Amino acid sequence: MEENVMKGAAVEAANEVSNRAKMAQQYGMWFKENATASDLVSWCDGRIAIYTQWIQNCKALKKASQIELLAGVDKEALQAALAALGE
């Protein structure tokens, strides 16, 4: 009987790890199992605000890096390279 209890606990633990992995894959992290709707709404609002800011930061960094990357390249060379890509 004790062996069955231990197996049951192991299965529950494995299911919890699997569920956490699924949540992490889908939402970027996991949250407590018994979260209320209010908890989840608050959690989502927080993530959306953070991720929105990170996306804006990444776009600004990308733009600045592209400008830096292309700063020393001749305009005609860029046009020729773009034309070649279109062929």
Side-chain angles (χ1 to χ4, degrees), residues 1-23:
M1 180 155 162
E2 185 176 314
E3 185 177 323
N4 287 340
V5 171
M6 290 177 63
K7 284 182 182 178
V11 168
E12 282 185 37
N15 286 341
E16 183 176 336
V17 169
S18 176
N19 194 28
R20 286 181 180 184
K22 287 176 189 175
M23 283 190 276

Side-chain angles (χ1 to χ4, degrees), residues 32-87:
K32 62 185 177 181
E33 290 295 322
N34 297 322
T36 65
S38 178
D39 292 337
L40 296 175
V41 168
S42 178
W43 180 84
C44 288
D45 284 344
R47 298 286 75 74
I48 290 167
I50 291 168
Y51 297 157
T52 299
Q53 185 61 53
W54 287 351
I55 290 167
Q56 290 173 352
N57 293 346
C58 285
K59 286 180 178 181
L61 177 62
K62 178 182 175 182
K63 183 176 180 179
S65 297
Q66 287 172 325
I67 290 169
E68 181 182 335
L69 182 65
L70 299 175
V73 180
D74 181 61
K75 181 179 177 180
E76 288 78 24
L78 281 175
Q79 289 174 334
L82 289 173
L85 288 174
E87 295 177 356

